[in-house]
Amino acid sequence: MIGSLAQFWAAVSAYPFLRNALIAGLITGIVAPLIGSFVVVRRLSIIADALAHVMLSGVALGYLLGSTSRVFAAVPPIYYGTAVALVAALLIERLRTMYRSYSELAVPIIMSAGVGLSIVLIGLARGLNVDLVGLLFGNILSVTQADLLRIVVAALIVAVTIALLYKELLYLSFDDEAARLSGVPAKTINFIFSALIALVISVSMQIVGTLLISALITLPVAAALRLAKSFRALLTLGVVFAETSVLVGMAAAYTFDLATGGTIVLVAILILLAVLVWQKRLRA
Amino acid sequence: MAAFDPSNVVLEAEGVSFRYESQYVLKRVSLTLHRGELLGLVGPNGSGKSTLLKVMLGLLPLAEGTVRWFGVPLNRFRDWARIGYVSQKAASFNVGFPVTVEEVVRMGLIARLGIFRRPGKKETEKVLEALEFVGMADFRRRNIGALSGGQQQRVFIARALVGDPEVLILDEPTVGVDRHSEVRFYALLEKMHKERGLSIVLVSHDLGVVSEKMDTIVCINHELFYHGSASGFRAACDEIVARAYGQEMKIITHAHDPGEEAIYR
Ligand SMILES: Nc1ncnc2c1ncn2[C@@H]1O[C@H](COP(=O)(O)OP(=O)(O)OP(=O)(O)O)[C@@H](O)[C@H]1O
Ligand SMILES: [Mg+2]
């Protein structure tokens, strides 16, 4: 274990593309559980999944548009994906207020729209050079300097916004009526929150891929939830577990030549299992 | 209890009507609350008590009638820090939510702090003070889900109190609380009233205790049936209850003194 970490570290210092991958992974390991903590306690885990699928259709759209004109090609497809996910986030928020007591119903509606659109668009783009496997399962080694810059900026926006709106987000998540009575602008904040989810997904897309984004957002938090008594503890433990998953997962993937995204998520699952077992033994 | 100041109106609702669907839940209900007044809001299940509070607090839209807080019409009123509210459903939060008692009470400071400002040392002291006031300071690091119903209720009262409100609105705070804690609760109410000069609106089904502890009683069943002094309510209780609750309804109220056990038919 330590040996493979050391080996991995040596490789990171030697190869810049590995360094980019590691930095991108570690940044994701911070913002995914940060937003994930709020996502989980609001019982919106599945929204992250829906938005990830919608983003996929946006990326496919980006490829298609890029093939038609130079102007469109100047913008990388992930930006189209982010834009489409932002619009979807807004739609979900609207649908959620329309179906107040069935707010999770908004998710399958948006999700099926996203998946349907993705399949059609990717079908249309078949002749193009689209890294479909990378989109679905992640391709952390493809992180370029430009990607890294985009990831850093998006992550900064997420972290700063959460820090600024921390007490409002927490109050809304815990008791939305009381929060509104205290003058918290619920609609605005809920929209900002959905937009932050979309940003986190755009950050995580290359790391673990569409199919596993929600795993990275929820698994570390699910493990933290078993241990945390306070919300601060939930955030801290969530970040610790996510960073551990990223580091150990990347090192293991490098050493044994495994798929990085999948390995990271498997480590997160191992952590969750370890926490559950440890708790059970503590109780017995 | 101490007399209130009849010249100083805190809350004034006039001709408030409200409906969720086609049927009116509230029909032209009016009430007035003065500084330092203890007002008991009573009525049978489904009579619209919680709805009335929510309309007056702007949590449900005010379609007909007027509501003024401290003389300011509801739609222009922004000073929500002056009002503390514990809803009937306060304790029905997600029990797995990882927040401590301290974190919950700190939420009550948001209206005072405003957006972007973070609670500091002074706020931590205020939180502790509010928790001491309701006798829950020892539990401040405990997870809120790991408390009993009555203890949670006191934490929510602390959350409503922490911003130093002038009015406290309590929707059935003693439901599911044992008799001993109920006595403690009314003692707490008296303390809040005396030490902080709070005006209080209390919803309760316990007609005996409410009419004994409050200054004023408002009795509604979709419409207003009584609005006046508690002594007047006690004197005409049988008749008011028969009209508001319906003849066929049997309401049993229990007083704290076993000798006062009374049954209204
Ligand atoms: N969200 C809602 N949608 C539709 N009707 C509602 C809704 N909430 C309450 N009602 C109806 O409005 C009426 C008044 O409800 P409300 O909760 O105000 O009563 P209450 O006096 O507080 O009763 P209780 O003593 O049981 O708390 C009831 O008949 C109820 O069925
Ligand atoms: Mg009620």
Side-chain angles (χ1 to χ4, degrees), chain A residues 41 43 163-168 170-171 173-175 177-178 180-182 184-185 189 225 228-232 234, chain B residues 54 57 59 80 85 87 93-94 97-100 103-104 107 110-111 113-119 143-144 156 159:
Chain A
V41 296
R43 303 176 192 272
L164 285 177
L165 297 178
Y166 176 78
K167 62 186 196 315
E168 283 79 11
L170 181 59
Y171 205 0
S173 309
F174 182 69
D175 186 342
E177 190 179 64
R180 280 188 291 140
L181 185 57
S182 296
V184 174
I189 295 208
L225 200 57
K229 284 195 169 49
S230 70
F231 203 76
R232 283 202 177 271
L234 184 78
Chain B
K54 284 184 185 166
L57 290 167
L59 293 170
W80 293 107
Y85 170 55
S87 91
F93 58 93
N94 163 12
F97 205 110
V99 274
T100 58
E103 282 177 316
V104 170
M107 294 175 190
I110 285 196
L113 277 171
I115 212 154
F116 297 147
R117 270 193 48 213
R118 315 183 70 182
N143 183 266
I144 181 81
F156 288 114
R159 183 179 75 182

Side-chain angles (χ1 to χ4, degrees), chain B residues 9 16 34-35 53 67 73 87 96 179-180 193 196 200 216 241:
Chain B
V9 175
V16 171
H34 304 89
R35 170 162 303 276
L53 297 185
V67 171
S87 91
R179 186 59 63 85
H180 174 72
H193 179 242
R196 304 193 173 204
I200 297 176
T216 316
V241 167

Side-chain angles (χ1 to χ4, degrees), chain A residues 168-245:
Chain A
E168 283 79 11
L169 278 169
L170 181 59
Y171 205 0
L172 269 180
S173 309
F174 182 69
D175 186 342
D176 127 286
E177 190 179 64
R180 280 188 291 140
L181 185 57
S182 296
V184 174
K187 266 194 190 152
T188 314
I189 295 208
N190 282 337
F191 173 63
I192 293 175
F193 178 68
S194 303
L196 291 184
I197 301 179
L199 277 181
V200 169
I201 290 171
S202 81
V203 167
S204 328
M205 190 105 176
Q206 266 173 304
I207 317 300
V208 289
T210 309
L211 296 180
L212 290 176
I213 285 175
S214 67
L216 199 60
I217 291 179
T218 53
L219 282 177
V221 179
L225 200 57
R226 305 295 305 185
L227 303 173
K229 284 195 169 49
S230 70
F231 203 76
R232 283 202 177 271
L234 184 78
L235 293 175
T236 316
L237 281 173
V239 170
V240 168
F241 290 156
E243 292 293 23
T244 312
S245 309

Side-chain angles (χ1 to χ4, degrees), chain B residues 50 88 171-172:
Chain B
S50 303
Q88 191 171 4
D171 196 346
E172 297 194 38

Side-chain angles (χ1 to χ4, degrees), chain B residues 20-21 25 43-52 88 171-172 205 222:
Chain B
Y20 287 101
E21 278 130 28
V25 169
N45 285 132
S47 58
K49 303 181 294 296
S50 303
T51 304
L52 176 60
Q88 191 171 4
D171 196 346
E172 297 194 38
H205 286 288
H222 307 305

